[in-house]
Structures are given as structure tokens and as C-alpha cells.
Amino acid sequence: MSSPAATSVAAGEPVAAAETPRRPRKRRGPGAVTRPGLTPLLLLSPAGLVITALTIVPIGYLIYLSFTNAGQKMLFTGTYDIVGLRQYRDILHDREFWRSFVRTILFTAAMVAGSVVVGMGVAQLLGKIGTGFRYAVTVVLIFAWAMPNVASSMVWGWLFQPGYGVANWLLTQTHLFGDVTATNWANSPRLAYACIWMLIVWQAVPFIALTLNAAQTQVDPAYYEAARLDGASEWRVYWTITLHFLRPTLLLITILSVIWDFNVFNQIWLISNGGPNGATSTLGIYAYRNAFVSFHFGVGAAISVVTTLLLLVLTAFYIRSLIKAGEDL
């Protein structure tokens, strides 16, 4: 008995070539992982090049410079020697370094506490005033926050100048402290700290107030109505409900404020130059004086590296808080 293929050949019909079996295509489900390709890398490469050129390379050179004795000789001859960890050993045995470190910690704590407390008060005020006044205050806060800190520091210094400073004249008119028109705030450690503290708090309050006010508007008004129906006072409502919902935002703002205030330099340098007698010299001022006043670039680089390591610890807390806040959503 002949096969069908033989029958078709005998009949003169063309025989189709043997078809190779095809593998069925795998359908990608919604959770399938696909290769991203080179497109994301090409899109991110401009930002990556900028970050590398402006951040990674300078930090790498700073770390390298901290292991050298680069100083004024390098400016003229371009030569320096590798000294290893000697710069770090010298600054860790320097009393002025530890004094500057303690000043930085205490001053940062004072600035952060003042900024957060005043910012919370302004945020609460924004929720109590009318719409027109709220818009006006918001615009003023944005303008104050957008002003460059160098320009605002110079204007602030003029306000407290002896002889013609507006702040000294206003304080004299109150008759609370006598005649203070000739008072030089930069010549007194306490007055210099107070002047710098007020400046930094004034610059930090807009961001904190607007951020907290935005977070406060997301709280369901039903919580406030239920608390007031139960007879809770306004302070109790704020402490129990508002602060409870603002806790994640407050934590992130506090950590950010610590990082920013730890790095404060322009305001201190333009107001008091780290004086009088180094009384307002923080780690930033201490590093600047060593690097660009005494021309000990290696020492200044080592101080900057130590400061960066301290900030990395704070940044780790910040990132951990961001991740935790994202998980709580």
C-alpha cells in the first residue's frame, strides 16, 4: 500500500519542503522582567557626566590632597609630598579642631531648633488666616527663601552695623537696652552668635513653614471635628492630631536642616569672619582658614574629608527616613 507522499509524486503534484517545527513564543506576563537596553543609559549620561565632573572628581582630588603636604610651595612650584595619614593625625590632636567641632554641633542644634519651632508656628499661622493674607504671606516667604544667602548676609550685616544700622536704631528707640546705636555685634561672641542665628533662622523658616503647611492641609478635617466635639482644646488638638500626622515630615525636615546648618559658612564668614578671636569659628571656617588663609591645603582637605564623613552619617539617617516614610505610605 503506497503512502500519501508517494501517491502525490506519482500524480505529478509538487511536494512541499519539510517544515521545521517552530518554538512557540513566550508571552510576557505583567510581571516579566525586560532588558532596558541602552536608552536609559544614554538619557542619563549627560547628568552623569555633570555629576562626575562637578562632584565625583573634585571629591576624589580632595581625598587625594588630604594625604599630601600641599601648601604655599605648591602654588609656585607645583610640587608636594605624600605624607599618608599625618594630616589626619595632626588635626585630631589639634585642640582648635575639637573646639570648632563642639561649636558646630551646638550651633547646629540651636539653629535647627529655632528654625523648626518658628517654622511650625508660621505654618500654623498660615492655616488660621484668610485666603488673601495667606497668599500674601506665602509670596513674602518665597521671596525671602529665594534670596541668595550671600546677598541676604550682606544686607543683614548692614542692618546691624554700628552707627547707622537700622536694627541698632530700632533697639535704641525701645529704650530697653539703652543706646546701642554704636554697638558692633561682631565684636561680642554672644551678639555675633545671636545675629548669625537670627539670619539663618530667617532664611530657613520659609521652606519649613511652607512644607509643614502643605503637609497639614492633607490631614482629614474629620479628625479635628471629632476632637473638638469631644471637648479637646486647640492645643490638645494640635498636639494629638496635627503633630501625629506631621511626624514623618518633621523628621525629614529636621534631618535636612541639620545637614544644611552643619555646612553653614557664608553667613558666619560675612557677619563675623569667625570672630571675635575664633569664637564663631565652626568646622567650615576652620577648614577655610587652614586652606585659604594659612595656605595649608592638605590640612584643609583633611578637615573637609572628616566633615564629609560626618555628613555622610547624617545623610544615611536621611535616606533611611525616606525609605521608611515610603514604606509607611
Side-chain angles (χ1 to χ4, degrees):
M1 186 174 181
S2 60
S3 63
T7 304
S8 61
V9 170
E13 297 178 359
V15 180
E19 296 183 356
T20 58
R22 296 181 180 181
R23 296 181 180 179
R25 294 182 179 180
K26 295 182 179 180
R27 296 183 178 181
R28 295 174 179 175
V33 178
T34 59
R35 294 183 178 180
L38 295 177
T39 302
L41 295 178
L42 294 177
L43 294 175
L44 293 175
S45 58
L49 292 175
V50 172
I51 293 175
T52 301
L54 300 181
T55 304
I56 298 178
V57 172
I59 290 178
Y61 182 70
L62 178 73
I63 296 174
Y64 168 75
L65 204 63
S66 66
F67 295 104
T68 68
N69 63 347
Q72 195 169 9
K73 177 183 177 182
M74 186 186 71
L75 296 177
F76 299 99
T77 64
T79 60
Y80 51 85
D81 299 322
I82 304 295
V83 295
L85 297 175
R86 191 181 74 184
Q87 308 288 20
Y88 293 94
R89 184 176 63 252
D90 291 343
I91 64 173
L92 292 178
H93 287 83
D94 187 4
R95 292 183 178 180
E96 185 58 32
F97 169 79
W98 292 108
R99 293 193 187 101
S100 300
F101 176 74
V102 173
R103 291 191 201 103
T104 303
I105 296 297
L106 296 178
F107 201 25
T108 299
M111 290 185 293
V112 171
S115 301
V116 172
V117 170
V118 177
M120 291 171 63
V122 176
Q124 188 69 9
L125 177 65
L126 287 173
K128 298 296 183 181
I129 58 179
T131 304
F133 283 107
R134 182 165 60 250
Y135 286 151
V137 174
T138 301
V139 171
V140 171
L141 290 174
I142 292 175
F143 276 120
W145 184 44
M147 183 178 295
N149 55 28
V150 173
S152 59
S153 299
M154 294 182 66
V155 173
W156 200 266
W158 295 339
L159 292 176
F160 290 88
Q161 279 290 328
Y164 59 86
V166 176
N168 290 350
W169 178 81
L170 289 175
L171 289 174
T172 301
Q173 298 305 310
T174 61
H175 302 288
L176 296 176
F177 308 100
D179 188 0
V180 295
T181 53
T183 301
N184 189 349
W185 290 62
N187 285 341
S188 170
R190 289 184 298 176
L191 294 179
Y193 270 117
C195 182
I196 298 169
W197 181 85
M198 289 187 291
L199 170 61
I200 294 174
V201 169
W202 173 77
Q203 292 175 334
V205 160
F207 171 76
I208 296 175
L210 294 177
T211 303
L212 290 178
N213 179 255
Q216 189 171 342
T217 57
Q218 304 303 313
V219 181
D220 191 349
Y223 292 105
Y224 296 109
E225 296 176 4
R228 292 188 179 98
L229 288 176
D230 289 340
S233 61
E234 290 299 321
W235 171 252
R236 186 66 179 177
V237 170
Y238 181 78
W239 183 264
T240 305
I241 299 177
T242 305
L243 285 185
H244 173 74
F245 285 100
L246 293 182
R247 189 177 302 169
T249 307
L250 272 174
L251 177 60
L252 298 181
I253 285 177
T254 302
I255 297 175
L256 279 177
S257 299
V258 170
I259 295 173
W260 292 336
D261 294 342
F262 199 89
N263 282 321
V264 166
F265 172 80
N266 292 331
Q267 296 87 332
I268 299 176
W269 184 256
L270 293 173
I271 295 296
S272 65
N273 290 331
N277 297 323
T280 58
S281 178
T282 57
L283 282 177
I285 302 296
Y286 179 65
Y288 180 83
R289 286 186 178 277
N290 277 276
F292 301 106
V293 177
S294 302
F295 296 106
H296 297 152
F297 302 116
V299 177
I303 299 170
S304 301
V305 170
V306 173
T307 304
T308 303
L309 292 177
L310 294 174
L311 289 176
L312 284 177
V313 175
L314 298 175
T315 306
F317 281 106
Y318 171 64
I319 295 175
R320 182 174 178 272
S321 302
L322 281 179
I323 296 175
K324 186 177 180 181
E327 292 175 352
D328 294 338
L329 294 178

